[in-house]
Structures are given as structure tokens and as C-alpha cells.
Short mmCIF file of all heavy atoms in Angstrom, two decimals:
data_model
loop_
_atom_site.label_atom_id
_atom_site.label_comp_id
_atom_site.label_asym_id
_atom_site.label_seq_id
_atom_site.Cartn_x
_atom_site.Cartn_y
_atom_site.Cartn_z
N MET A 1 184.47 -11.23 27.86
CA MET A 1 184.16 -12.68 27.78
C MET A 1 184.73 -13.23 26.47
O MET A 1 184.64 -12.60 25.43
CB MET A 1 182.65 -12.88 27.85
CG MET A 1 182.30 -14.35 27.83
SD MET A 1 180.58 -14.80 28.16
CE MET A 1 179.62 -13.41 27.75
N GLY A 2 185.34 -14.42 26.57
CA GLY A 2 185.92 -15.04 25.39
C GLY A 2 184.94 -15.97 24.68
O GLY A 2 183.75 -15.96 24.94
N THR A 3 185.49 -16.74 23.80
CA THR A 3 184.71 -17.72 23.04
C THR A 3 185.22 -19.12 23.37
O THR A 3 186.42 -19.36 23.36
CB THR A 3 184.86 -17.46 21.53
OG1 THR A 3 184.45 -16.13 21.24
CG2 THR A 3 184.04 -18.44 20.72
N VAL A 4 184.28 -20.01 23.65
CA VAL A 4 184.66 -21.38 23.97
C VAL A 4 184.90 -22.16 22.69
O VAL A 4 184.15 -22.03 21.71
CB VAL A 4 183.56 -22.05 24.80
CG1 VAL A 4 183.76 -23.54 24.87
CG2 VAL A 4 183.56 -21.48 26.20
N LYS A 5 185.96 -22.98 22.71
CA LYS A 5 186.19 -23.87 21.58
C LYS A 5 186.59 -25.23 22.13
O LYS A 5 186.99 -25.35 23.29
CB LYS A 5 187.29 -23.32 20.67
CG LYS A 5 188.68 -23.31 21.28
CD LYS A 5 189.67 -22.76 20.28
CE LYS A 5 191.06 -22.56 20.87
NZ LYS A 5 191.80 -23.77 21.16
N ILE A 6 186.47 -26.23 21.29
CA ILE A 6 186.85 -27.59 21.67
C ILE A 6 188.13 -27.96 20.92
O ILE A 6 188.20 -27.73 19.70
CB ILE A 6 185.71 -28.59 21.35
CG1 ILE A 6 184.51 -28.29 22.24
CG2 ILE A 6 186.21 -30.02 21.57
CD1 ILE A 6 183.29 -29.10 21.91
N GLU A 7 189.08 -28.47 21.66
CA GLU A 7 190.33 -28.92 21.06
C GLU A 7 190.25 -30.44 20.91
O GLU A 7 190.45 -31.17 21.88
CB GLU A 7 191.52 -28.51 21.95
CG GLU A 7 192.86 -28.94 21.43
CD GLU A 7 193.07 -28.57 19.97
OE1 GLU A 7 193.22 -27.37 19.68
OE2 GLU A 7 193.04 -29.49 19.12
N PRO A 8 189.94 -30.95 19.72
CA PRO A 8 189.72 -32.39 19.54
C PRO A 8 190.93 -33.24 19.93
O PRO A 8 190.78 -34.38 20.37
CB PRO A 8 189.41 -32.54 18.04
CG PRO A 8 188.95 -31.18 17.62
CD PRO A 8 189.70 -30.20 18.48
N ALA A 9 192.13 -32.68 19.82
CA ALA A 9 193.33 -33.46 20.13
C ALA A 9 193.39 -33.81 21.62
O ALA A 9 194.07 -34.76 22.00
CB ALA A 9 194.57 -32.69 19.71
N TYR A 10 192.71 -33.04 22.45
CA TYR A 10 192.72 -33.31 23.89
C TYR A 10 191.63 -34.29 24.31
O TYR A 10 191.61 -34.76 25.43
CB TYR A 10 192.51 -32.01 24.67
CG TYR A 10 193.71 -31.08 24.69
CD1 TYR A 10 194.76 -31.23 23.80
CD2 TYR A 10 193.78 -30.04 25.60
CE1 TYR A 10 195.85 -30.38 23.81
CE2 TYR A 10 194.86 -29.16 25.63
CZ TYR A 10 195.90 -29.34 24.73
OH TYR A 10 196.97 -28.48 24.75
N CYS A 11 190.70 -34.57 23.42
CA CYS A 11 189.58 -35.46 23.71
C CYS A 11 189.92 -36.89 23.29
O CYS A 11 190.26 -37.11 22.13
CB CYS A 11 188.33 -34.98 22.99
SG CYS A 11 186.90 -36.07 23.18
N PRO A 12 189.84 -37.87 24.21
CA PRO A 12 190.18 -39.24 23.83
C PRO A 12 189.18 -39.86 22.84
O PRO A 12 189.46 -40.86 22.20
CB PRO A 12 190.21 -39.98 25.16
CG PRO A 12 189.48 -39.14 26.13
CD PRO A 12 189.56 -37.72 25.64
N GLN A 13 188.00 -39.24 22.72
CA GLN A 13 187.01 -39.68 21.74
C GLN A 13 186.68 -41.16 21.88
O GLN A 13 186.64 -41.92 20.91
CB GLN A 13 187.49 -39.35 20.31
CG GLN A 13 187.81 -37.86 20.19
CD GLN A 13 188.08 -37.38 18.79
OE1 GLN A 13 187.41 -37.80 17.85
NE2 GLN A 13 189.05 -36.50 18.63
N ASN A 14 186.48 -41.57 23.15
CA ASN A 14 186.14 -42.96 23.39
C ASN A 14 185.06 -43.11 24.46
O ASN A 14 184.91 -44.16 25.05
CB ASN A 14 187.39 -43.76 23.80
CG ASN A 14 188.01 -43.25 25.11
OD1 ASN A 14 187.47 -42.35 25.74
ND2 ASN A 14 189.12 -43.83 25.50
N HIS A 15 184.33 -42.02 24.72
CA HIS A 15 183.27 -42.09 25.74
C HIS A 15 182.20 -41.03 25.48
O HIS A 15 182.44 -40.06 24.77
CB HIS A 15 183.86 -41.88 27.14
CG HIS A 15 184.57 -40.57 27.35
ND1 HIS A 15 185.85 -40.33 26.91
CD2 HIS A 15 184.14 -39.42 27.92
CE1 HIS A 15 186.20 -39.09 27.23
NE2 HIS A 15 185.17 -38.50 27.83
N TYR A 16 181.05 -41.27 26.08
CA TYR A 16 179.99 -40.28 26.04
C TYR A 16 180.48 -39.05 26.81
O TYR A 16 180.98 -39.18 27.93
CB TYR A 16 178.72 -40.85 26.68
CG TYR A 16 177.60 -39.86 26.81
CD1 TYR A 16 176.83 -39.52 25.69
CD2 TYR A 16 177.32 -39.24 28.03
CE1 TYR A 16 175.79 -38.60 25.82
CE2 TYR A 16 176.29 -38.33 28.15
CZ TYR A 16 175.53 -38.01 27.04
OH TYR A 16 174.53 -37.09 27.15
N CYS A 17 180.36 -37.87 26.22
CA CYS A 17 180.90 -36.65 26.85
C CYS A 17 180.07 -36.26 28.07
O CYS A 17 178.90 -35.88 27.93
CB CYS A 17 180.92 -35.53 25.84
SG CYS A 17 181.48 -33.95 26.54
N PRO A 18 180.66 -36.32 29.29
CA PRO A 18 179.90 -35.98 30.49
C PRO A 18 179.63 -34.48 30.61
O PRO A 18 178.80 -34.06 31.42
CB PRO A 18 180.81 -36.46 31.63
CG PRO A 18 182.20 -36.46 31.05
CD PRO A 18 182.05 -36.74 29.57
N VAL A 19 180.30 -33.69 29.81
CA VAL A 19 180.12 -32.23 29.88
C VAL A 19 178.78 -31.81 29.27
O VAL A 19 178.24 -30.75 29.58
CB VAL A 19 181.30 -31.51 29.21
CG1 VAL A 19 181.22 -30.00 29.44
CG2 VAL A 19 182.62 -32.02 29.78
N ILE A 20 178.23 -32.65 28.41
CA ILE A 20 176.94 -32.33 27.77
C ILE A 20 175.89 -32.00 28.81
O ILE A 20 175.14 -31.03 28.68
CB ILE A 20 176.48 -33.51 26.89
CG1 ILE A 20 177.39 -33.63 25.67
CG2 ILE A 20 175.01 -33.35 26.47
CD1 ILE A 20 177.16 -34.86 24.83
N SER A 21 175.88 -32.75 29.90
CA SER A 21 174.82 -32.57 30.90
C SER A 21 175.02 -31.33 31.78
O SER A 21 174.12 -30.94 32.49
CB SER A 21 174.71 -33.81 31.79
OG SER A 21 175.90 -33.99 32.52
N VAL A 22 176.20 -30.72 31.75
CA VAL A 22 176.40 -29.52 32.60
C VAL A 22 176.20 -28.22 31.81
O VAL A 22 176.20 -27.15 32.40
CB VAL A 22 177.79 -29.51 33.28
CG1 VAL A 22 178.01 -30.79 34.06
CG2 VAL A 22 178.91 -29.25 32.33
N CYS A 23 176.03 -28.31 30.51
CA CYS A 23 175.82 -27.09 29.72
C CYS A 23 174.39 -26.60 29.91
O CYS A 23 173.44 -27.28 29.56
CB CYS A 23 176.07 -27.37 28.24
SG CYS A 23 175.64 -25.97 27.18
N PRO A 24 174.23 -25.39 30.49
CA PRO A 24 172.88 -24.89 30.76
C PRO A 24 172.10 -24.52 29.50
O PRO A 24 170.88 -24.35 29.54
CB PRO A 24 173.13 -23.66 31.64
CG PRO A 24 174.53 -23.23 31.32
CD PRO A 24 175.28 -24.48 30.95
N ALA A 25 172.81 -24.41 28.38
CA ALA A 25 172.16 -23.98 27.14
C ALA A 25 171.86 -25.14 26.20
O ALA A 25 171.29 -24.94 25.13
CB ALA A 25 173.04 -22.95 26.44
N GLY A 26 172.27 -26.35 26.56
CA GLY A 26 172.08 -27.49 25.66
C GLY A 26 172.82 -27.30 24.36
O GLY A 26 172.37 -27.70 23.29
N ALA A 27 174.01 -26.70 24.46
CA ALA A 27 174.76 -26.32 23.26
C ALA A 27 175.84 -27.30 22.84
O ALA A 27 176.53 -27.06 21.85
CB ALA A 27 175.39 -24.94 23.47
N ILE A 28 175.99 -28.39 23.59
CA ILE A 28 177.05 -29.34 23.25
C ILE A 28 176.43 -30.56 22.57
O ILE A 28 175.52 -31.18 23.09
CB ILE A 28 177.85 -29.77 24.51
CG1 ILE A 28 178.43 -28.51 25.18
CG2 ILE A 28 178.97 -30.73 24.14
CD1 ILE A 28 179.07 -28.78 26.52
N ILE A 29 176.95 -30.87 21.41
CA ILE A 29 176.44 -31.97 20.59
C ILE A 29 177.55 -33.00 20.40
O ILE A 29 178.72 -32.62 20.20
CB ILE A 29 176.07 -31.44 19.18
CG1 ILE A 29 175.09 -30.26 19.28
CG2 ILE A 29 175.52 -32.53 18.28
CD1 ILE A 29 175.28 -29.28 18.13
N GLN A 30 177.18 -34.26 20.50
CA GLN A 30 178.18 -35.30 20.20
C GLN A 30 177.50 -36.33 19.32
O GLN A 30 176.51 -36.94 19.71
CB GLN A 30 178.69 -35.93 21.50
CG GLN A 30 179.85 -36.89 21.27
CD GLN A 30 180.33 -37.54 22.56
OE1 GLN A 30 179.58 -37.72 23.51
NE2 GLN A 30 181.61 -37.91 22.59
N LYS A 31 178.02 -36.51 18.13
CA LYS A 31 177.38 -37.41 17.17
C LYS A 31 177.55 -38.88 17.55
O LYS A 31 176.70 -39.70 17.21
CB LYS A 31 177.94 -37.13 15.77
CG LYS A 31 177.51 -35.75 15.30
CD LYS A 31 178.10 -35.39 13.94
CE LYS A 31 177.59 -34.00 13.52
NZ LYS A 31 178.59 -33.23 12.81
N SER A 32 178.62 -39.19 18.22
CA SER A 32 178.83 -40.56 18.68
C SER A 32 179.85 -40.53 19.80
O SER A 32 180.61 -39.56 19.92
CB SER A 32 179.33 -41.44 17.53
OG SER A 32 180.61 -41.96 17.76
N PRO A 33 179.88 -41.54 20.69
CA PRO A 33 180.87 -41.56 21.77
C PRO A 33 182.31 -41.64 21.23
O PRO A 33 183.26 -41.48 21.99
CB PRO A 33 180.52 -42.82 22.54
CG PRO A 33 179.10 -43.12 22.18
CD PRO A 33 178.95 -42.64 20.77
N PHE A 34 182.43 -41.86 19.95
CA PHE A 34 183.77 -42.01 19.36
C PHE A 34 184.17 -40.81 18.52
O PHE A 34 185.07 -40.89 17.68
CB PHE A 34 183.84 -43.31 18.55
CG PHE A 34 183.47 -44.50 19.38
CD1 PHE A 34 182.23 -45.10 19.24
CD2 PHE A 34 184.33 -44.99 20.35
CE1 PHE A 34 181.85 -46.19 20.03
CE2 PHE A 34 183.98 -46.05 21.15
CZ PHE A 34 182.74 -46.66 21.00
N THR A 35 183.50 -39.69 18.79
CA THR A 35 183.90 -38.42 18.16
C THR A 35 183.94 -37.36 19.25
O THR A 35 183.28 -37.48 20.28
CB THR A 35 182.90 -37.97 17.08
OG1 THR A 35 181.62 -37.77 17.69
CG2 THR A 35 182.78 -39.00 15.97
N ALA A 36 184.73 -36.34 19.03
CA ALA A 36 184.76 -35.21 19.98
C ALA A 36 183.44 -34.45 19.87
O ALA A 36 182.85 -34.39 18.80
CB ALA A 36 185.93 -34.30 19.64
N PRO A 37 182.99 -33.86 20.99
CA PRO A 37 181.77 -33.08 20.93
C PRO A 37 181.97 -31.79 20.11
O PRO A 37 183.12 -31.40 19.83
CB PRO A 37 181.48 -32.76 22.40
CG PRO A 37 182.79 -32.91 23.10
CD PRO A 37 183.57 -33.93 22.33
N GLU A 38 180.88 -31.18 19.76
CA GLU A 38 180.92 -29.91 19.02
C GLU A 38 180.03 -28.91 19.75
O GLU A 38 179.15 -29.30 20.52
CB GLU A 38 180.39 -30.11 17.59
CG GLU A 38 181.26 -31.07 16.76
CD GLU A 38 180.58 -31.50 15.49
OE1 GLU A 38 179.82 -30.70 14.91
OE2 GLU A 38 180.80 -32.64 15.07
N ILE A 39 180.26 -27.66 19.48
CA ILE A 39 179.47 -26.59 20.12
C ILE A 39 178.51 -25.98 19.11
O ILE A 39 178.93 -25.59 18.01
CB ILE A 39 180.38 -25.51 20.72
CG1 ILE A 39 181.22 -26.11 21.86
CG2 ILE A 39 179.57 -24.33 21.24
CD1 ILE A 39 182.27 -25.18 22.41
N ASP A 40 177.26 -25.89 19.51
CA ASP A 40 176.26 -25.20 18.69
C ASP A 40 176.41 -23.70 18.99
O ASP A 40 176.06 -23.22 20.06
CB ASP A 40 174.86 -25.68 19.09
CG ASP A 40 173.76 -25.02 18.25
OD1 ASP A 40 173.94 -23.89 17.78
OD2 ASP A 40 172.70 -25.67 18.07
N ARG A 41 176.97 -22.99 18.04
CA ARG A 41 177.27 -21.56 18.24
C ARG A 41 176.03 -20.70 18.42
O ARG A 41 176.09 -19.62 19.00
CB ARG A 41 178.07 -21.03 17.05
CG ARG A 41 179.44 -21.62 16.93
CD ARG A 41 180.36 -21.03 18.00
NE ARG A 41 181.57 -21.84 18.11
CZ ARG A 41 182.35 -21.83 19.17
NH1 ARG A 41 182.08 -21.08 20.20
NH2 ARG A 41 183.43 -22.57 19.21
N VAL A 42 174.91 -21.16 17.94
CA VAL A 42 173.67 -20.39 18.09
C VAL A 42 173.21 -20.46 19.55
O VAL A 42 172.76 -19.47 20.12
CB VAL A 42 172.59 -20.92 17.12
CG1 VAL A 42 171.27 -20.21 17.37
CG2 VAL A 42 173.04 -20.72 15.68
N LYS A 43 173.34 -21.63 20.14
CA LYS A 43 172.87 -21.81 21.52
C LYS A 43 173.89 -21.40 22.58
O LYS A 43 173.52 -20.99 23.66
CB LYS A 43 172.50 -23.27 21.75
CG LYS A 43 171.28 -23.74 20.96
CD LYS A 43 170.97 -25.19 21.29
CE LYS A 43 169.72 -25.67 20.56
NZ LYS A 43 169.50 -27.11 20.80
N CYS A 44 175.17 -21.53 22.28
CA CYS A 44 176.22 -21.27 23.28
C CYS A 44 176.25 -19.82 23.71
O CYS A 44 176.23 -18.92 22.88
CB CYS A 44 177.57 -21.69 22.72
SG CYS A 44 178.95 -21.35 23.84
N THR A 45 176.30 -19.61 25.04
CA THR A 45 176.37 -18.25 25.58
C THR A 45 177.79 -17.92 26.06
O THR A 45 178.00 -16.86 26.66
CB THR A 45 175.42 -18.13 26.78
OG1 THR A 45 175.81 -19.07 27.78
CG2 THR A 45 173.97 -18.39 26.37
N ASN A 46 178.74 -18.82 25.81
CA ASN A 46 180.13 -18.64 26.24
C ASN A 46 180.22 -18.41 27.76
O ASN A 46 181.03 -17.59 28.22
CB ASN A 46 180.78 -17.48 25.46
CG ASN A 46 180.97 -17.85 24.01
OD1 ASN A 46 181.61 -18.83 23.68
ND2 ASN A 46 180.38 -17.07 23.11
N CYS A 47 179.41 -19.11 28.50
CA CYS A 47 179.41 -18.96 29.97
C CYS A 47 180.68 -19.54 30.58
O CYS A 47 181.06 -19.17 31.69
CB CYS A 47 178.18 -19.61 30.58
SG CYS A 47 178.20 -21.42 30.49
N GLY A 48 181.31 -20.49 29.89
CA GLY A 48 182.57 -21.05 30.37
C GLY A 48 182.44 -22.24 31.31
O GLY A 48 183.42 -22.80 31.75
N ARG A 49 181.21 -22.63 31.62
CA ARG A 49 181.02 -23.73 32.57
C ARG A 49 181.70 -25.02 32.07
O ARG A 49 182.34 -25.74 32.85
CB ARG A 49 179.53 -23.97 32.77
CG ARG A 49 179.24 -25.06 33.76
CD ARG A 49 177.75 -25.29 33.87
NE ARG A 49 177.19 -24.54 34.94
CZ ARG A 49 176.36 -25.04 35.85
NH1 ARG A 49 175.97 -26.30 35.78
NH2 ARG A 49 175.88 -24.31 36.81
N CYS A 50 181.59 -25.30 30.81
CA CYS A 50 182.15 -26.53 30.25
C CYS A 50 183.68 -26.60 30.43
O CYS A 50 184.23 -27.68 30.58
CB CYS A 50 181.79 -26.67 28.78
SG CYS A 50 182.22 -25.23 27.77
N THR A 51 184.33 -25.44 30.43
CA THR A 51 185.78 -25.45 30.55
C THR A 51 186.23 -25.95 31.93
O THR A 51 187.37 -26.34 32.09
CB THR A 51 186.38 -24.05 30.30
OG1 THR A 51 185.94 -23.15 31.33
CG2 THR A 51 185.95 -23.50 28.95
N ARG A 52 185.34 -25.93 32.90
CA ARG A 52 185.68 -26.36 34.26
C ARG A 52 185.33 -27.83 34.51
O ARG A 52 185.69 -28.38 35.54
CB ARG A 52 184.98 -25.48 35.30
CG ARG A 52 185.38 -24.01 35.18
CD ARG A 52 184.88 -23.19 36.38
NE ARG A 52 183.45 -23.06 36.44
CZ ARG A 52 182.73 -22.11 35.80
NH1 ARG A 52 183.36 -21.24 35.04
NH2 ARG A 52 181.44 -22.05 35.93
N PHE A 53 184.64 -28.45 33.60
CA PHE A 53 184.18 -29.82 33.83
C PHE A 53 184.93 -30.89 33.05
O PHE A 53 184.94 -32.05 33.44
CB PHE A 53 182.68 -29.92 33.57
CG PHE A 53 181.85 -29.41 34.71
CD1 PHE A 53 181.50 -28.08 34.76
CD2 PHE A 53 181.46 -30.22 35.75
CE1 PHE A 53 180.75 -27.55 35.82
CE2 PHE A 53 180.71 -29.74 36.82
CZ PHE A 53 180.36 -28.40 36.85
N CYS A 54 185.51 -30.54 31.91
CA CYS A 54 186.20 -31.57 31.11
C CYS A 54 187.51 -31.94 31.78
O CYS A 54 188.38 -31.09 31.98
CB CYS A 54 186.45 -31.06 29.69
SG CYS A 54 187.40 -32.25 28.71
N ALA A 55 187.67 -33.22 32.11
CA ALA A 55 188.85 -33.69 32.81
C ALA A 55 190.11 -33.62 31.93
O ALA A 55 191.22 -33.64 32.42
CB ALA A 55 188.64 -35.13 33.29
N PHE A 56 189.91 -33.51 30.62
CA PHE A 56 191.04 -33.50 29.70
C PHE A 56 191.37 -32.10 29.20
O PHE A 56 192.29 -31.92 28.40
CB PHE A 56 190.74 -34.41 28.51
CG PHE A 56 190.55 -35.84 28.92
CD1 PHE A 56 189.26 -36.36 29.14
CD2 PHE A 56 191.63 -36.70 29.10
CE1 PHE A 56 189.07 -37.67 29.52
CE2 PHE A 56 191.46 -38.01 29.50
CZ PHE A 56 190.16 -38.49 29.71
N GLY A 57 190.62 -31.11 29.63
CA GLY A 57 190.87 -29.75 29.18
C GLY A 57 190.56 -29.52 27.71
O GLY A 57 191.16 -28.64 27.07
N ALA A 58 189.63 -30.29 27.18
CA ALA A 58 189.31 -30.17 25.76
C ALA A 58 188.45 -28.94 25.44
O ALA A 58 188.40 -28.50 24.29
CB ALA A 58 188.62 -31.45 25.26
N PHE A 59 187.76 -28.42 26.46
CA PHE A 59 186.98 -27.21 26.25
C PHE A 59 187.84 -26.04 26.73
O PHE A 59 188.28 -26.01 27.88
CB PHE A 59 185.68 -27.26 27.08
CG PHE A 59 184.67 -28.25 26.58
CD1 PHE A 59 184.84 -29.60 26.85
CD2 PHE A 59 183.58 -27.83 25.86
CE1 PHE A 59 183.90 -30.51 26.39
CE2 PHE A 59 182.63 -28.75 25.39
CZ PHE A 59 182.81 -30.10 25.66
N GLN A 60 188.07 -25.09 25.86
CA GLN A 60 188.97 -23.99 26.19
C GLN A 60 188.34 -22.65 25.87
O GLN A 60 187.65 -22.51 24.87
CB GLN A 60 190.27 -24.13 25.40
CG GLN A 60 190.98 -25.45 25.71
CD GLN A 60 192.17 -25.71 24.79
OE1 GLN A 60 192.49 -24.91 23.93
NE2 GLN A 60 192.80 -26.85 24.96
N MET A 61 188.59 -21.69 26.73
CA MET A 61 188.11 -20.33 26.50
C MET A 61 189.25 -19.52 25.89
O MET A 61 190.35 -19.51 26.40
CB MET A 61 187.69 -19.72 27.84
CG MET A 61 187.08 -18.34 27.75
SD MET A 61 185.43 -18.33 27.01
CE MET A 61 184.42 -18.74 28.44
N SER A 62 188.96 -18.87 24.80
CA SER A 62 190.02 -18.07 24.16
C SER A 62 189.60 -16.62 24.07
O SER A 62 188.45 -16.27 24.34
CB SER A 62 190.33 -18.62 22.78
OG SER A 62 189.18 -18.61 21.97
S1 SF4 B 1 180.30 -22.03 27.22
FE1 SF4 B 1 178.42 -22.50 28.44
S2 SF4 B 1 176.75 -22.47 26.92
FE2 SF4 B 1 178.67 -22.68 25.75
S3 SF4 B 1 179.00 -24.90 25.46
FE3 SF4 B 1 180.08 -24.29 27.34
S4 SF4 B 1 178.65 -24.66 29.04
FE4 SF4 B 1 177.45 -24.61 27.09
#
């Protein structure tokens, strides 16, 4: 299993992140609709679900 990361350059940073609601661990944080989301490493289980939901491919498994 890899580690999920967010690539801010792929995120338009102009909307509420819809991927927040699909994370089963509540590990995605977004300080404002105008910033890219961040991952709470303590909560994240690297399940990879977020990588399948972002339309821009901003969540990546490495
Ligand atoms: S890998 Fe899973 S637990 Fe981690 S941020 Fe993505 S959906 Fe949430």
C-alpha cells in the first residue's frame, strides 16, 4: 500500500472539496474553498478512496 498525497497544482482551489465527504476516516481538511485540501496523516489510512473521486486527479497514491 502506498501513501496518498495531494498535488496542489492539480487543484483549481476555487470550490469546496467534494472529496472530503467520501473519506471514511475524516482525514481531509480544507481551510477555505480557495485553498487545496490537506491530509491529516494521523487519521489517514491510505485506503486510496480519495484518489478515485477527485475529478482533477489532485489526490495521488505514491
Ligand atoms: S487515503 Fe482514504 S483515509 Fe486517506 S485521505 Fe484518502 S480517503 Fe481519506
Side-chain angles (χ1 to χ4, degrees):
M1 183 171 24
T3 302
V4 167
K5 67 180 174 71
I6 294 173
E7 179 50 70
Y10 286 16
C11 176
Q13 305 189 40
N14 63 3
H15 60 280
Y16 174 77
C17 177
V19 188
I20 290 172
S21 64
V22 306
C23 173
I28 303 172
I29 306 149
Q30 188 181 28
K31 292 177 179 144
S32 117
F34 305 104
T35 61
E38 296 168 33
I39 295 173
D40 182 331
R41 293 286 165 200
V42 175
K43 293 182 177 175
C44 177
T45 60
N46 292 303
C47 70
R49 181 183 266 228
C50 54
T51 65
R52 299 191 292 274
F53 281 89
C54 176
F56 298 95
F59 290 78
Q60 300 171 2
M61 184 71 84
S62 59

